[in-house]
Amino acid sequence: MFSAHHFHHLPSFSKKMAFFTASYYSSFTIIATFAVLALFTGSSSAQLSTDFYSKSCPKVFSTVQSVVKNSISVERRLGASLLRLHFHDCFVNGCDGSVLLDDTDSFTGEKTAGPNNRSIRGFKVVDDIKAAVEKACPGVVSCADILAIASRDSVVTLGGPDWDVKVGRRDSKTASFSDANSGVIPPPTSTLSNLINRFQAKGLSAKDMVALSGAHTIGQARCISFRDRIYNETNIDSSFAKTRQSQCPRNTGGRKNLAPLDLQTPTAFDNKYFNNLLDQKGLLHSDQILYDGGSTDSLVETYSKNDKTFDEDFVTAIIKMGDIDPLTGSSGEIRKNCRKPN
């Protein structure tokens, strides 16, 4: 850019013109920089707010909470399932409810993609929430927002932190089987660099990634996703491996058998997941890799010692995750039925 000494030998008028030109280009650069930043930070997420439904559906939060609490009282595991639906929705083309769309004869959605097939669940609870919300205020609340609210209520119901959920998302009219299969959702075999890269691609830091991995303090995994680890990896507690092997045979059978992701308190949202990692009792390869001599070791140690820090960082991260490329304004629609476009 121009600097002061460029003007020193110019006639007065030329000096003024040169100064004006330099100022113009400086202003232009600043404006352009802000425009680029807006593109990368997802300007539409700025349209989300915690009071979006304050006039149009003031009972939305209490309505969702009631259904979530009742469902979890019947089956504790559903809390983890609802939280996972929100994550799998947001990572594929943004938080737009696309993961909820059923396949039809002419359309293949995301439910049967590799990371989701026979793995994501809780759709009946989402249907129940939607029915209750539609009764309270028809055609107002999106399925994408229902997932965001239900995630918070699941965490709180299982003893975790509370936060104000930003809402105002709209629902997509379609879904993408190929995008769900493209690796944007990190598999349980992920390396640390793969995990960090996948999250950074969504605007989430390595710290956000470790904090969100702490959601594995609740829920279960299928034998097929941890079989290789319990038989072939060395960074695993031997008695823990043997216990898991008893339910997950080496070669055949048991592929659907479940094991808790958190050995100590599998239905309570706490920081015990991180204690497990210190003891080499991470169930998935992608769990233990967070504490295996790499760049995230110190974060795992911090969270294992301080549940308040974990709670705060988890809340920060999940709010950021909920901001990933939402549909707002006149984009998308408000689905009447979360399983199909209007």
Side-chain angles (χ1 to χ4, degrees):
M1 296 308 295
F2 296 100
S3 59
H5 74 269
H6 285 123
F7 305 142
H8 187 64
H9 300 293
L10 294 171
S12 177
F13 176 76
S14 300
K15 281 182 188 176
K16 283 180 184 172
M17 284 304 294
F19 181 77
F20 172 78
T21 306
S23 301
Y24 173 81
Y25 279 110
S26 296
S27 301
F28 180 79
T29 303
I30 290 167
I31 291 165
T33 301
F34 275 116
V36 171
L37 280 173
L39 281 174
F40 280 103
T41 53
S43 55
S44 58
S45 65
Q47 294 173 37
L48 303 181
S49 68
T50 55
D51 60 356
F52 186 84
Y53 295 118
S54 58
K55 290 190 173 66
S56 59
C57 192
K59 291 182 179 176
V60 62
F61 291 109
S62 58
T63 304
V64 175
Q65 183 188 54
S66 174
V67 180
V68 170
K69 274 188 167 179
N70 289 339
S71 300
I72 291 176
S73 71
V74 175
E75 187 192 350
R76 300 278 287 179
R77 185 184 168 206
L78 279 168
S81 302
L82 292 170
L83 182 56
R84 192 156 174 255
L85 276 180
H86 183 39
F87 168 62
H88 281 231
D89 182 37
C90 290
F91 261 59
V92 180
N93 299 326
C95 311
D96 61 0
S98 58
V99 75
L100 300 172
L101 291 172
D102 281 344
D103 292 356
T104 66
D105 291 341
S106 58
F107 164 79
T108 304
E110 295 164 19
K111 286 184 176 179
T112 54
N116 297 334
N117 196 28
R118 298 190 182 92
S119 173
I120 52 172
R121 58 197 295 277
F123 300 109
K124 174 67 169 62
V125 183
V126 176
D127 292 341
D128 293 344
I129 297 169
K130 181 64 173 171
V133 170
E134 283 296 303
K135 200 173 174 184
C137 30
V140 173
V141 179
S142 68
C143 301
D145 277 346
I146 282 173
L147 289 183
I149 301 167
S151 293
R152 187 271 311 272
D153 294 338
S154 295
V155 170
V156 173
T157 302
L158 295 174
D162 198 353
W163 66 92
D164 293 329
V165 181
K166 288 160 70 175
V167 285
R169 301 168 192 82
R170 288 167 66 84
D171 297 320
S172 66
K173 298 176 183 180
T174 186
S176 176
F177 176 82
S178 59
D179 287 343
N181 261 335
S182 67
V184 291
I185 299 170
T189 53
S190 292
T191 62
L192 183 59
S193 60
N194 179 250
L195 286 171
I196 291 171
N197 292 339
R198 291 299 180 200
F199 278 73
Q200 281 182 340
K202 300 297 177 185
L204 298 163
S205 66
K207 184 204 259 187
D208 296 327
M209 182 272 290
V210 177
L212 287 169
S213 296
H216 283 184
T217 182
I218 52 176
Q220 303 186 62
R222 294 178 301 158
C223 161
I224 193 172
S225 62
F226 59 83
R227 177 186 277 144
D228 190 57
R229 169 159 166 72
I230 61 174
Y231 286 103
N232 300 320
E233 295 186 9
T234 54
N235 60 343
I236 187 168
D237 177 86
S238 57
S239 62
F240 171 70
K242 284 194 179 73
T243 303
R244 293 282 78 94
Q245 288 168 8
S246 66
Q247 300 164 296
C248 185
R250 182 188 288 272
N251 296 317
T252 57
R255 65 198 302 272
K256 294 180 186 176
N257 288 356
L258 297 169
L261 287 156
D262 173 358
L263 188 66
Q264 299 181 56
T265 52
T267 59
F269 196 99
D270 54 28
N271 66 335
K272 298 294 191 292
Y273 163 83
F274 298 104
N275 297 125
N276 294 333
L277 301 186
L278 298 189
D279 296 334
Q280 294 198 317
K281 293 176 181 175
L283 183 62
L284 305 177
H285 176 85
S286 56
D287 291 324
Q288 194 59 56
I289 205 72
L290 301 179
Y291 191 76
D292 195 39
S295 60
T296 54
D297 281 15
S298 58
L299 268 172
V300 172
E301 287 169 8
T302 298
Y303 294 155
S304 74
K305 291 172 193 156
N306 195 325
D307 55 352
K308 189 168 181 288
T309 303
F310 164 54
D311 284 352
E312 288 170 355
D313 288 355
F314 177 83
V315 165
T316 298
I318 198 164
I319 290 171
K320 276 172 75 174
M321 188 185 84
D323 281 346
I324 299 173
D325 298 332
L327 297 172
T328 57
S330 58
S331 301
E333 64 183 10
I334 305 297
R335 278 185 225 141
K336 295 183 179 71
N337 178 337
C338 290
R339 293 173 179 268
K340 60 183 185 182
N342 293 343

